[in-house]
Amino acid sequence: MNDITLRHDWSRLEIEQLLALPFMELIYRAQSIHRSRFDPNKVQVSTLLSIKTGACAEDCGYCSQSAKYNTELEREKLLPVEEVIKAARSAKEKGASRFCMGAAWRNPTDKNLARVIEMIQGVHELGMETCVTLGMLTEKQAAQLKQAGLDYYNHNLDTSPEFYGNVISTRTFQDRLDTLEHVRAQGINVCSGGILGMGESRSDRASMLRELANLPEHPESVPINMLVQVEGTPLFGADKLEPFEFIRTIAVARILMPGSYVRLSAGRNEMSDEMQALCFMAGANSIFYGDRLLTTDNPEADADLRLFQRLGLEFEQHSELQATEAGCTKRKTEQIERESGAAALN
Ligand code: SAM
Ligand code: DTB
Ligand code: SF4
């Protein structure tokens, strides 16, 4: 089944029909497509670091880092390069294959971009894949990042074009598409997805997925975030999304973009192990690993190792990582097994 054609002409109605399939049928279809392209027991693992925190000029209604909202977040200047490399080294030792660096900017200045380029080069030298998310980019800045050897650029569409104005007013949906185009034009891998649970309708979720799947090329990585509600932001207190609806959206992302990594992204801290297992079953094959996302908590690394062990999942190693890293993760899993006792895991 490796010859599934990749489509870029989905209608919203077709996607809504997929979202409305009986749950078992939907998961079966998604898992079948998943298996045609990927090893269903391997998960790509990235670690995130906020390299510049807070005081952002944008007004994204979900974000702890916007200067417009009183979220009591401590702002931090751009981190020194050495500090970032140290964090990347530690993430590598714990088994992450990609290091993602996020900055609370509308867009990077040329001076800041030069510092980020040093970070990218340093992380690359460790033998890790690199990803950055810095806001909007010009064509020239995307070319500079490509030149620096950047592997992935993350820039999310966040939601449907129809719902977008309810969440963000300081930049347009088209601005986001323009940045994705600049990144793609340079041959940098695209990481783009969105957030669920912001009060959008199922039809909005279908519309967001349609925008992603109908891009000229599918993003290599598609993060699906569950809103992490942050006190002080306009979206704090929004109605929670039903877990099955989240899982359905993951399954449909997998069906629409068969060759992309679908990342079970923010929000795992509030998901049960069983819900996460269903997300993997539905075709998610990437996570953020490590106790922290950018400004909010992620599950503890040890808890993730236990979950992986119980599900028989393995960290996917990227080709440049040495066998010793794989061994390191295995040793760590074994140590956790010993500490927790086999009985607790069965
Ligand atoms: N400032 C840059 C930008 O917005 O492009 C990069 C960092 S920004 C935090 C990256 C993405 O994280 C956002 O586009 C959004 O999809 C996601 N995100 C931010 N806050 C979130 C939250 N509270 N819950 C879920 N996802 C969130
Ligand atoms: C993405 O889609 N999710 C990540 C990453 N790309 C940059 C960010 C999640 C942020 C969650 C809220 C926080 O920790 O501030
Ligand atoms: Fe700023 Fe990015 Fe947060 Fe929007 S999501 S407020 S651009 S840090």
Side-chain angles (χ1 to χ4, degrees), residues 81-93 96-99 101 118-130 318 320-322 324-325:
V81 177
E82 309 73 57
E83 201 173 315
V84 174
I85 309 302
K86 196 170 150 216
R89 192 172 293 117
S90 158
K92 184 186 171 192
E93 279 162 10
S97 60
R98 189 178 307 156
F99 195 64
M101 295 161 268
E118 284 181 57
M119 296 173 189
I120 293 168
Q121 289 166 337
V123 174
H124 176 78
E125 277 166 22
L126 296 176
M128 297 183 88
E129 289 182 322
T130 53
H318 94 94
E320 284 170 44
L321 282 179
Q322 306 298 310
T324 45
E325 266 78 36

Side-chain angles (χ1 to χ4, degrees), residues 50 52-58 63-67 71 73 103-104 294-295:
S50 181
K52 186 267 165 186
T53 307
C56 183
E58 302 284 295
C63 189
S64 62
Q65 307 202 63
S66 167
T71 61
L73 179 75
L294 290 173
T295 67

Side-chain angles (χ1 to χ4, degrees), residues 62-63 65 103-105 133-135 154-156 158 171 176 195 225-228 230 266 294:
Y62 47 76
C63 189
Q65 307 202 63
W105 291 324
T133 178
L134 315 171
N154 167 246
H155 198 64
N156 289 340
D158 277 352
R171 74 165 85 137
R176 292 181 183 260
I195 310 177
N225 297 276
M226 179 75 106
L227 174 68
V228 179
V230 178
L294 290 173

